[in-house]
Amino acid sequence: MSGPLLNPDRTVRVEAIGAERQPLLIIDDCLADPQAWRAAAAGETFAPIGRHYPGVRAHVAADWAARLRAELAPAIADAFGLDPVPALHECFYSIVTTPPAALAPIQRLPHVDGLEPDRLAVLLYLSGEEQGGTAFFRQRATGYETVDTERFPAFERALHAGVAEHGLPGANYIAGSTALYEQVGEVTARPNRAVVYRSHLLHCARIPTGLDFSPDPGRGRLTINAFLFG
């Protein structure tokens, strides 16, 4: 793809979420040519990658991924006060394909992607609002909205105690607050909307009832997911 990857007319804003006031960087109309990315995804072979993601993934071409990180870097630096912006480690096309009845217990709970405070997740929606956004949570027992290495032991103890008292959540994607977690915010999906957040924020995909769990990139819940750290 020649020329800049980002749309020169994109809109950028930063919101603070929850009691911890963690930044969310939200970029609308992010890509200059989102259809080119969808077309590229359609030509990839998707497969499960990792144990926790409830679907299938394919690697984004390395040059596209590197250029995407480079072009997003100024906005990320401003939003998170990072200099330098962390390096790119992974970048995938992702499609949620696991129906609720097949979810593993860990996939029914909010999670963090890593415990490092400067590790960042970049999520770019290529499908629409009807296929769900991303929600953020507070663990009720501890009040934690982020989990780092210092907090992790208390977080884990509270999780086990909460499951012992209330049981595991049913075989469903999380929809709002639960006995163990309070939802503190949500980013609504919108085609060509990107959101960047610290990976140790408790979060989960907001999957609507009746979602078509198709693995077809033209029909399914297609996103780009990149992880920056180090």
Side-chain angles (χ1 to χ4, degrees), residues 3-222:
L5 297 185
L6 298 189
N7 177 9
D9 297 322
R10 62 192 179 276
T11 60
V12 179
R13 69 183 189 277
V14 179
E15 298 181 357
I17 191 168
E20 295 186 22
R21 311 307 290 164
Q22 284 287 327
L24 296 180
L25 171 62
I26 300 172
I27 306 173
D28 283 321
D29 302 314
C30 181
L31 298 172
D33 188 358
Q35 289 307 118
W37 293 76
R38 294 185 66 92
E44 296 291 340
T45 299
F46 284 75
I49 297 178
R51 296 181 299 133
H52 301 313
Y53 182 73
V56 292
R57 283 177 156 163
H59 288 279
V60 171
D63 59 333
W64 285 24
R67 288 171 60 197
L68 182 64
R69 179 259 176 211
E71 292 186 33
L72 288 171
I76 291 172
D78 288 345
F80 295 93
L82 294 174
D83 182 18
V85 170
L88 174 71
H89 279 258
E90 297 175 303
C91 189
F92 303 106
Y93 298 108
S94 305
I95 308 173
V96 173
T97 58
T98 304
L103 290 171
I106 196 170
Q107 293 170 327
R108 307 174 206 164
L109 296 163
H111 65 278
V112 297
D113 299 324
L115 302 178
E116 308 93 331
D118 289 338
R119 177 174 173 145
L120 301 176
V122 180
L123 170 60
L124 203 157
Y125 305 103
L126 291 174
S127 50
E129 181 176 354
E130 73 283 356
Q131 292 181 308
T134 304
F136 298 89
F137 295 88
R138 174 187 302 124
Q139 189 182 47
R140 292 186 186 275
T142 60
Y144 295 164
E145 297 168 1
T146 58
V147 183
D148 57 15
T149 53
E150 183 177 345
R151 288 181 169 187
F152 182 76
F155 167 79
E156 191 172 40
R157 286 194 300 270
L159 175 58
H160 289 308
V163 168
E165 179 179 357
H166 298 284
L168 282 168
N172 288 294
Y173 286 92
I174 299 166
S177 298
T178 70
L180 303 184
Y181 295 95
E182 178 186 1
Q183 183 173 320
V184 297
E186 181 175 353
V187 175
T188 302
R190 172 178 166 180
N192 205 15
R193 167 176 283 175
V195 57
V196 185
Y197 52 90
R198 288 195 169 100
S199 293
H200 71 343
L201 265 170
L202 283 163
H203 64 279
C204 197
R206 184 73 164 88
I207 303 299
T209 302
L211 180 73
D212 179 0
F213 292 96
S214 171
D216 180 352
R219 292 175 49 200
R221 185 185 185 272
L222 179 63

